[in-house]
Amino acid sequence: MVKQLGFVLDSNRCLGCGACIKACQINHSLPSALSWRSLRQVEEADSKHIRRFFLSTSCNHCANPECLRVCPSGAYFKRRDGIVLHNPEKCTGCKSCTVSCPFGAPQFNPETRKASKCELCYERIDQGKLPYCVQACLTGALQLQEIHQIEDNKLLRLTAPKPSLRLTRPSVFYKPPRETELK
């Protein structure tokens, strides 16, 4: 079986503090207009229950990455551990990847006029360290795991409309948030 690293987020533990975003921006010297990780608050309710939680997302390092498939210059490639990398030397800035990724992961860098994205801090992983975003998570809500070792019935893939999930097979899972009863 091929190794596939990916993110797991326990939405019950995420405080929405943004430490993961800041750690990524600072340690990768990203311009303020560019962020490889995003945070959104979600609220779901029915007549009896409500769920409020945060989702911290970045590149999903998909098993079948759409960015890699559509890039006309071959700027994307996938490592043996499943990490999807971008080679800026080959990038022409055509934005094919930014418009085709169902998760909005590749971002156009206005300073370099090329695409860029989360590369899972592969240099740190190669040194046995955690990605900056995982290391910065104060509650341990964000983790890096080998995807094939995750029990599917305990976690959800929750990042895009269903057809995109079947096509790209993102390497991100979420522990479902607890429901609170309405009073």
Side-chain angles (χ1 to χ4, degrees), residues 43-104:
E43 185 171 311
E44 299 172 342
D46 61 26
S47 61
K48 296 181 181 178
H49 300 95
I50 189 165
R51 295 192 308 180
R52 287 187 187 109
F53 56 97
F54 292 96
L55 288 178
S56 174
T57 59
S58 70
C59 176
N60 292 322
H61 298 278
C62 298
N64 298 315
E66 189 66 6
C67 57
L68 188 147
R69 188 185 74 74
V70 302
C71 180
S73 61
Y76 288 90
F77 61 101
K78 192 170 171 75
R79 289 179 17 150
R80 296 182 80 149
D81 57 8
I83 299 173
V84 179
L85 299 178
H86 177 261
N87 182 346
E89 302 290 319
K90 290 185 174 183
C91 182
T92 62
C94 72
K95 299 183 185 177
S96 292
C97 59
T98 63
V99 297
S100 67
C101 174
F103 310 103

Side-chain angles (χ1 to χ4, degrees), residues 48-169:
K48 296 181 181 178
H49 300 95
I50 189 165
R51 295 192 308 180
R52 287 187 187 109
F53 56 97
F54 292 96
L55 288 178
S56 174
T57 59
S58 70
C59 176
N60 292 322
H61 298 278
C62 298
N64 298 315
E66 189 66 6
C67 57
L68 188 147
R69 188 185 74 74
V70 302
C71 180
S73 61
Y76 288 90
F77 61 101
K78 192 170 171 75
R79 289 179 17 150
R80 296 182 80 149
D81 57 8
I83 299 173
V84 179
L85 299 178
H86 177 261
N87 182 346
E89 302 290 319
K90 290 185 174 183
C91 182
T92 62
C94 72
K95 299 183 185 177
S96 292
C97 59
T98 63
V99 297
S100 67
C101 174
F103 310 103
Q107 302 290 309
F108 185 74
N109 186 329
E111 291 180 4
T112 63
R113 314 260 327 132
K114 297 180 182 223
S116 67
K117 65 177 244 3
C118 163
E119 294 191 331
L120 209 61
C121 297
Y122 70 91
E123 305 98 338
R124 291 179 58 80
I125 290 173
D126 290 348
Q127 297 170 4
K129 298 177 183 176
L130 292 172
Y132 288 116
C133 58
V134 174
Q135 180 181 318
C137 184
L138 302 172
T139 63
L142 187 60
Q143 299 173 8
L144 178 69
Q145 289 190 17
E146 162 61 54
I147 295 302
H148 299 297
Q149 295 174 355
I150 295 173
E151 295 179 44
D152 282 338
N153 61 344
K154 297 199 178 188
L155 300 171
L156 301 173
R157 282 189 170 162
L158 180 84
T159 55
K162 295 283 186 217
S164 297
L165 295 176
R166 285 192 298 275
L167 295 173
T168 61
R169 294 187 13 242

